[in-house]
Amino acid sequence: PLHLSLFETLFVRLKELEKKDGIKRTVTLNKQFRTHPVLGDFASKEFYEKYPGEGYSSDWDSTSRFAHELPGIKNKAAVWIDVPLAKGKEEKPNTSYCRPAEVSVIVNKLKEWATSEAGNKFSYGIITFYKEQEKELKREIGRLNLPVKCRIGSVDAFQGMEFDVVFLSVVRSNNLKIDNPYGFLCSVNR
């Protein structure tokens, strides 16, 4: 038997109504419980506040739920790990991109945090926009035999998942000499 979640049921019913009366309907969730308020506020301002009556709100009274002691970033909700172009640019060995320099930085940082006393109980996710980068990350991290849960995949594969620590591997970030240096990353959905 087919079992639909509440959201799936609502979505199906809205689509049926649209077919009946031709009125386009959208549903925006405006409360979350899984993201640090700093990240939730950013998402709200960038993506949801343009819809009347919508916006982010959190039911958490404090950020204590997100406290951590990871080396070098204690209690920070988000950090940018810079991988300068001088360390190596993206490559396109087939139809997809990868950036070995970025793979190396992520692997080293993951190893540092996952083997630390503060981070050896966390789950880790590594999200990337490119299949070739996913393949390289899986190959390199597979060699580590880390004592933690670590999942690597595309943005689409991670939809709805949660991890204690998430890396976003953007791959293409510095090649401004070409017409479209960021490719499909410029899409609002990405």
Side-chain angles (χ1 to χ4, degrees), residues 1-187:
L2 179 65
H3 297 285
L4 298 176
S5 70
L6 177 60
F7 182 76
E8 289 168 322
T9 302
L10 177 60
F11 183 78
V12 168
R13 290 200 176 136
L14 286 176
K15 289 300 170 194
E16 289 170 356
L17 280 171
E18 282 182 16
K19 284 180 184 174
K20 241 184 198 180
D21 61 17
I23 300 171
K24 183 149 178 66
R25 294 172 172 83
T26 60
V27 175
T28 305
L29 303 177
N30 63 358
K31 192 169 294 274
Q32 66 86 29
F33 303 92
R34 303 185 307 176
T35 303
H36 190 287
V38 167
L39 301 174
D41 287 342
F42 169 78
S44 179
K45 287 181 182 112
E46 293 300 316
F47 305 109
Y48 297 107
E49 287 181 359
K50 61 185 170 190
Y51 301 107
E54 299 299 337
Y56 155 86
S57 74
S58 172
D59 276 1
W60 301 109
D61 292 332
S62 73
T63 58
S64 63
R65 175 177 181 262
F66 300 99
H68 65 82
E69 301 280 333
L70 287 175
I73 63 163
K74 179 182 176 181
N75 290 327
K76 291 188 177 173
V79 295
W80 182 264
I81 301 173
D82 190 30
V83 184
L85 184 58
K87 290 195 179 248
K89 63 180 183 173
E90 69 265 11
E91 301 170 1
K92 191 174 182 182
N94 53 47
T95 59
S96 184
Y97 286 91
C98 68
R99 187 166 180 226
E102 192 174 294
V103 170
S104 179
V105 169
I106 290 172
V107 167
N108 289 333
K109 192 53 72 176
L110 174 64
K111 187 166 86 174
E112 176 189 354
W113 290 343
T115 58
S116 72
E117 186 176 334
N120 65 13
K121 303 281 188 276
F122 288 160
S123 61
Y124 295 82
I126 304 174
I127 303 171
T128 185
F129 300 102
Y130 298 96
K131 283 290 183 192
E132 192 66 28
Q133 186 81 343
E134 178 183 351
K135 187 171 91 178
E136 291 298 312
L137 284 161
K138 284 180 177 177
R139 185 174 56 83
E140 292 300 318
I141 291 169
R143 296 176 177 176
L144 295 179
N145 195 25
L146 293 172
V148 296
K149 175 185 172 188
C150 180
R151 177 140 184 210
I152 304 158
S154 69
V155 172
D156 300 322
F158 271 75
Q159 196 70 27
M161 292 187 191
E162 62 180 270
F163 296 88
D164 298 311
V165 178
V166 176
F167 291 88
L168 176 61
S169 179
V170 295
V171 183
R172 297 177 73 186
S173 60
N174 278 310
N175 195 355
L176 299 176
K177 293 180 181 175
I178 62 175
D179 288 339
N180 187 2
Y182 306 113
F184 69 89
L185 298 183
C186 293
S187 163

